[in-house]
Amino acid sequence: MSSLISRLGLERERNVQKLFPEPVSLCLLYKASHHGFTMYALREKSENQGRFVLTVYLETGAVRGGYISKHLARQACADPKAFVFSVDEKSATSFPVQDHSKAFLFEGQKVAFGDCLQLLSENKKMYVVSKPDDIYGDFWAEETADCLEVEVHRVQDVGDVLLNPWMEVAWTENHKEELRQNLVSFKPSEVLSKARVLLLGPVGSGKSSFINSIRSVMYRHVFLMPYVGTMQDGFTKKLKSYEIRAQKGGPPTPLTLCDVLALGESEETGLTLHDTLEVIKGHVPEGHKFQSNAPINPATAGYQLAPALKDRIHCVAFVLDATEVHLYSKSLQDKLKELRWEISDMDIPHVILLTKVDQVCKAVEADVQYVYRSRIVKERMHKAAELMGLPVSFVLPVKNYSSGRSVDCNTDILLLSALNCMLCSIDDWLEDYTPSPQEIEQQRQTF
């Protein structure tokens, strides 16, 4: 799981990284104490994931490992780049393979780097047998020792992943719960009890999936909505508001996410500029079905002639697809920019949600923790900011839940962090907002 923490620790991890001739990062794939002390679990989590490091933590206190520059597979493997190593907090020492034709073997209940490092599994326990050999050399005394922990890390080039993140995030359960509590306890102001965030974006950008994902975070399991998908013209046709609840069946939080028809290439396709602004101003009734040839006006059924503050949109999130943002047509770019300028003139807070960041970077796909170290994600964030004429700090990368049924701590943190930024922008906006006497009286009557 991407939320797992390696037993290596920062100092030992850095020492292992120094064993490679080029800068690398380590991505934890398998942790025996979490996934199980079995070869089946090790193979299931690590097979065909690229070059890897196997690390064993022995009862004796020693930490040893081996590296193969090829995929983990159930077979013998020749590899002239293979090596075994020992590591502690001060340094790491590697021992290159001498007979590379026998560098690695995975069969049955054994993973072996020659005879010097043999990992075996029996009765849901793992132990190491070490013997001097002519494959790697004579440097470890012959011994048999039980494993306190076993880990497999994928070795990744930092051509894709930077050594240091440009934004620090605490990828912990505690931080996730803090962000979750920030949402639950959010209080907009004395004149506004609920904040409404409008999601705007092209077809397939992930608007509905984002709502689905936020509900998944709060419900602690992947929430399935039947109308989330990839129809050519999008699933959402109406104005639909979703109260975000603290838990399934629980009380609503002060946040409502609003979904609308997707933006098209022109005013004739998708949501029009006019109708978008009518939604933001609060004139459009819930459930209104958008039609480009029937613009919203005071004669529209349910039209709110004098919307209260609670009926308006308090933040706009432009939802852009990281896999497509650099390919958007000029007409779509022009439409997005025009919307952005109109919303800015209305003094409405707005941000960019950059979705599908896991689909542009393999490292992020494997572990969301790499999102602020990924070169390609950083590039797409800057592209999105440039397109919309906003600072890159306004771009919030997210990974929506699109498969599986279990939620992931780090994905939750990324999603909740995006929401937290929206709530902060609303809070800042309300700080300078001066309500009219009528709004104060309207709000007083709602409590």
Side-chain angles (χ1 to χ4, degrees):
M1 296 286 289
S2 56
S3 59
L4 296 178
I5 298 175
S6 172
R7 188 165 177 155
L8 262 180
L10 182 59
E11 292 304 320
R12 288 190 298 207
E13 181 175 347
R14 285 176 174 170
N15 290 334
V16 171
Q17 290 171 321
K18 291 175 183 177
L19 298 177
F20 294 87
E22 76 284 0
V24 299
S25 63
L26 302 180
C27 174
L28 183 60
L29 300 173
Y30 164 78
K31 187 179 180 75
S33 60
H34 180 83
H35 298 111
F37 284 85
T38 67
M39 289 299 171
Y40 173 80
L42 185 151
R43 188 184 80 241
E44 182 184 43
K45 294 297 178 181
S46 311
E47 195 169 33
N48 297 320
Q49 290 283 341
R51 56 183 180 145
F52 69 93
V53 164
L54 170 75
T55 311
V56 295
Y57 304 80
L58 305 181
E59 279 191 335
T60 61
V63 180
R64 297 174 182 171
Y67 163 73
I68 293 292
S69 66
K70 301 181 179 181
H71 292 289
L72 176 70
R74 297 192 68 179
Q75 60 186 27
C77 174
D79 185 3
K81 297 181 180 180
F83 61 80
V84 293
F85 64 88
S86 59
V87 62
D88 57 30
E89 283 76 9
K90 295 182 179 180
S91 64
T93 305
S94 66
F95 306 95
V97 64
Q98 297 178 21
D99 182 357
H100 64 80
S101 65
K102 301 176 182 178
F104 180 76
L105 174 66
F106 188 177
E107 65 176 6
Q109 299 302 308
K110 181 171 74 171
V111 171
F113 290 79
D115 291 334
C116 71
L117 183 61
Q118 303 174 72
L119 176 66
L120 297 102
S121 174
E122 184 178 344
N123 297 325
K124 297 184 179 180
K125 292 183 179 181
M126 288 181 169
Y127 62 96
V128 164
V129 175
S130 294
K131 298 178 182 179
D133 66 10
D134 56 2
I135 300 175
Y136 285 90
D138 182 2
F139 41 83
W140 289 332
E142 184 171 341
E143 68 173 332
T144 299
D146 289 338
C147 296
L148 298 175
E149 185 65 274
V150 177
E151 295 179 344
V152 176
H153 290 80
R154 180 173 56 240
V155 179
Q156 300 175 156
D157 293 329
V158 295
D160 298 324
V161 180
L162 301 169
L163 283 174
N164 298 305
W166 67 85
M167 180 180 292
E168 294 288 348
V169 176
W171 302 101
T172 65
E173 285 284 346
N174 285 342
H175 185 50
K176 183 187 80 171
E177 290 306 318
E178 288 173 4
L179 292 170
R180 197 172 182 276
Q181 189 56 39
N182 286 348
L183 169 58
V184 173
S185 60
F186 178 68
K187 294 180 180 178
S189 75
E190 63 180 12
V191 296
L192 184 66
S193 59
K194 288 183 177 294
R196 289 167 58 82
V197 174
L198 175 64
L199 304 179
L200 291 177
V203 173
S205 60
K207 297 186 291 93
S208 300
S209 292
F210 178 74
I211 296 171
N212 180 40
S213 297
I214 294 301
R215 283 180 153 184
S216 299
V217 174
M218 305 308 289
Y219 296 173
R220 303 183 192 276
H221 68 83
V222 174
F223 183 79
L224 302 177
M225 293 195 297
Y227 41 84
V228 173
T230 55
M231 284 183 62
Q232 186 175 1
D233 56 350
F235 273 80
T236 305
K237 309 295 182 185
K238 305 176 181 180
L239 171 60
K240 178 67 176 176
S241 303
Y242 298 89
E243 289 186 324
I244 303 303
R245 298 184 179 274
Q247 59 189 29
K248 193 169 185 178
T253 68
L255 175 68
T256 298
L257 296 178
C258 303
D259 201 4
V260 289
L261 180 67
L263 300 174
E265 295 285 335
S266 66
E267 287 293 277
E268 288 71 40
T269 60
L271 190 67
T272 64
L273 174 63
H274 169 82
D275 284 1
T276 302
L277 299 180
E278 290 292 286
V279 171
I280 293 171
K281 293 173 183 177
H283 293 300
V284 183
E286 180 72 10
H288 173 79
K289 186 173 182 179
F290 298 99
Q291 300 178 63
S292 59
N293 59 353
I296 296 164
N297 61 71
T300 300
Y303 186 88
Q304 298 194 63
L305 195 58
L309 178 62
K310 66 179 179 63
D311 302 315
R312 304 175 199 165
I313 295 300
H314 311 114
C315 177
V316 173
F318 289 98
V319 185
L320 306 183
D321 182 344
T323 69
E324 297 285 340
V325 67
H326 60 303
L327 302 173
Y328 286 157
S329 67
K330 186 179 184 303
S331 59
L332 179 56
Q333 291 186 44
D334 290 343
K335 188 169 186 177
L336 287 165
K337 289 175 182 177
E338 187 175 9
L339 270 170
R340 187 264 190 214
W341 285 114
E342 290 286 350
I343 291 167
S344 182
D345 284 344
M346 296 168 67
D347 289 327
I348 302 298
H350 46 286
V351 297
I352 300 170
L353 274 178
L354 188 64
T355 62
K356 305 182 186 179
V357 292
D358 54 310
Q359 295 183 29
V360 298
C361 178
K362 287 290 185 181
V364 177
E365 181 182 21
D367 188 342
V368 176
Q369 286 192 49
Y370 286 101
V371 67
Y372 292 115
R373 291 173 57 185
S374 168
R375 291 179 187 274
I376 186 67
V377 170
K378 187 175 185 179
E379 175 190 308
R380 297 297 165 84
M381 288 175 66
H382 279 271
K383 179 62 181 177
E386 178 187 356
L387 189 158
M388 299 302 298
L390 289 169
V392 72
S393 59
F394 282 52
V395 183
L396 312 174
V398 294
K399 171 188 174 182
N400 287 335
Y401 286 111
S402 58
S403 62
R405 294 303 303 272
S406 300
V407 293
D408 167 72
C409 176
N410 292 343
T411 302
D412 287 357
I413 287 172
L414 207 57
L415 289 161
L416 288 170
S417 296
L419 276 191
N420 195 63
C421 288
M422 294 180 205
L423 296 180
C424 287
S425 68
I426 294 171
D427 205 35
D428 292 342
W429 173 68
L430 287 169
E431 183 74 19
D432 297 326
Y433 181 78
T434 303
S436 66
Q438 293 86 352
E439 287 174 336
I440 295 175
E441 179 60 22
Q442 286 175 338
Q443 184 61 22
R444 186 187 66 80
Q445 294 176 5
T446 65
F447 285 105

